[in-house]
Amino acid sequence: MTDSPVLLNKHEVERCLSYEDLIPRLESVMGKFSKRDSSEIIQPVRSVVPIAQHNGFLGVMPAYLAAEGILCTKMVTFYQRAEGSSLPSTQATVLLFDPEHGHVTAIMDGEAITAKRTAAVSAISAKLFMPALSKVLCILGSGQQARSHYDVFTNVFKFKEVRVWSRRREMAHRFVNDLQGPVRVCSSVKEAVTGADVIVTATGASEPILFGEWVKSGAHVAAVGACRPDWRELDDVLMREAVVYVDSREGATAESGDIVLSGAQVFAELGEVINGSFPAQREKTTVFKSLGMGIQDAVSAKLVLEKWNSEH
């Protein structure tokens, strides 16, 4: 007979998951993943079930980290919502299992984990690829991912200016009003990105909104939207002229419309740069295409449970 699983809501997950603890764990696990040792890490490409009549998808993201004793899966739904909809575009739940006996040990809110681990990985990419003395951060989007990226980027780095654009201007102003520091709302993507050193794209776009001709030479783009092979945020010019890094080659070539439709070549995985097997070409324009990985959810969930257990 096993104990009932721990149930953790969004507030508890957010409280138990700090970027200070999360970033080094993610760097470590992504480095291990890129070594492709199947005896240590097993992570298939995300399985996706289309929900065509409702413009949605169900994704299942399992991972097993043998050395850490972590067996985990995330179930996530993502929808293309009508403009003006108050419904979230993504919702998620994470399950942790006992890898020896197979029972569920924890069920926790997956939206907070997704937001924080995605932003933390983007921050790792920026640490490796953004120009030295970067001064201007631009965030395209105004949802949960935009907020988590603002939080970690302004915590880890020191920017002199932060700009925000959203398709709906009122959403951009609402987003900015919830923030602590000074942020400028821009009326167009071009205005927002011109001269920016670091650009985060966290939108629900299915067609390109960021064009290479607007992007400063040497800038770094962390692209976290467009998670389907027929969705895009970035145009062909940017994808073909930049040095492209990804979280997983298999995931990127199967799921990223920015890569599949542009024909862009993937230079390296983030983990390969962390391992030192590929260089960080900081002097060039770089794109980090993030699709999210089950191993990222797994180490994040383990951190949350460790913190919660230490308090109870």
Side-chain angles (χ1 to χ4, degrees):
M1 193 71 180
T2 59
D3 294 333
S4 297
V6 174
L7 302 176
L8 299 174
N9 61 30
K10 184 175 182 179
H11 172 74
E12 290 169 315
V13 172
E14 288 176 335
R15 184 182 59 78
C16 290
L17 194 58
S18 72
Y19 289 117
E20 183 180 8
D21 294 329
L22 183 56
I23 287 174
R25 292 277 188 106
L26 289 169
E27 287 177 321
S28 175
V29 76
M30 293 185 72
K32 290 176 182 177
F33 172 82
S34 290
K35 292 178 180 178
R36 293 302 191 277
D37 182 353
S38 60
S39 67
E40 186 167 353
I41 292 179
I42 299 174
Q43 181 202 256
V45 174
R46 171 171 37 207
S47 296
V48 177
V49 178
I51 312 165
Q53 68 191 96
H54 300 297
N55 294 317
F57 300 87
L58 168 67
V60 182
M61 303 171 65
Y64 175 45
L65 286 66
E68 287 88 346
I70 307 174
L71 180 61
C72 178
T73 193
K74 182 172 77 177
M75 294 167 290
V76 56
T77 58
F78 42 104
Y79 286 75
Q80 287 186 298
R81 303 294 191 190
E83 186 169 338
S85 173
S86 61
L87 296 172
S89 58
T90 63
Q91 298 175 80
T93 301
V94 174
L95 305 181
L96 274 176
F97 299 83
D98 181 306
E100 181 179 0
H101 301 108
H103 61 277
V104 176
T105 58
I107 302 170
M108 60 186 75
D109 176 83
E111 292 179 64
I113 284 178
T114 302
K116 283 200 164 187
R117 60 83 155 146
T118 304
V121 172
S122 293
I124 294 168
S125 80
K127 183 170 68 172
L128 293 169
F129 307 132
M130 74 181 190
L133 304 177
S134 290
K135 297 179 180 179
V136 180
L137 168 66
C138 169
I139 298 175
L140 305 181
S142 58
Q144 189 167 352
Q145 284 290 355
R147 177 55 191 263
S148 62
H149 278 75
Y150 174 86
D151 288 343
V152 70
F153 273 69
T154 55
N155 178 264
V156 174
F157 310 111
K158 302 299 180 186
F159 293 99
K160 291 188 175 180
E161 182 181 359
V162 181
R163 306 172 189 164
V164 167
W165 171 88
S166 182
R167 196 179 301 275
R168 295 172 60 201
R169 191 172 178 86
E170 69 271 21
M171 294 300 293
H173 281 289
R174 185 182 303 173
F175 170 68
V176 167
N177 289 340
D178 289 337
L179 304 178
Q180 300 299 317
V183 180
R184 178 159 69 93
V185 174
C186 296
S187 59
S188 69
V189 174
K190 183 177 181 180
E191 177 191 351
V193 304
T194 298
D197 300 292
V198 179
I199 302 167
V200 174
T201 61
T203 74
S206 56
E207 299 291 337
I209 58 164
L210 179 60
F211 294 84
E213 63 180 291
W214 301 338
V215 176
K216 170 183 173 180
S217 178
H220 174 58
V221 179
V224 303
C227 59
R228 296 294 298 148
D230 55 347
W231 297 358
R232 301 189 62 176
E233 291 184 304
L234 318 180
D235 80 332
D236 286 351
V237 172
L238 178 55
M239 290 302 299
R240 292 173 183 171
E241 293 185 355
V243 181
V244 178
Y245 298 87
V246 297
D247 44 17
S248 159
R249 292 177 187 270
E250 295 89 347
T253 54
E255 295 187 293
S256 170
D258 285 317
I259 289 171
V260 172
L261 298 177
S262 69
Q265 297 298 305
V266 173
F267 178 71
E269 291 179 342
L270 195 59
E272 291 173 321
V273 179
I274 291 168
N275 291 338
S277 52
F278 278 80
Q281 299 198 42
R282 188 187 293 267
E283 73 284 358
K284 298 182 179 179
T285 303
T286 53
V287 168
F288 171 60
K289 179 56 201 173
S290 173
L291 286 160
M293 304 169 72
I295 57 170
Q296 298 167 358
D297 300 316
V299 297
S300 302
K302 182 68 170 181
L303 263 175
V304 170
L305 189 59
E306 287 174 352
K307 174 72 171 177
W308 190 88
N309 283 336
S310 72
E311 297 173 347
H312 294 80

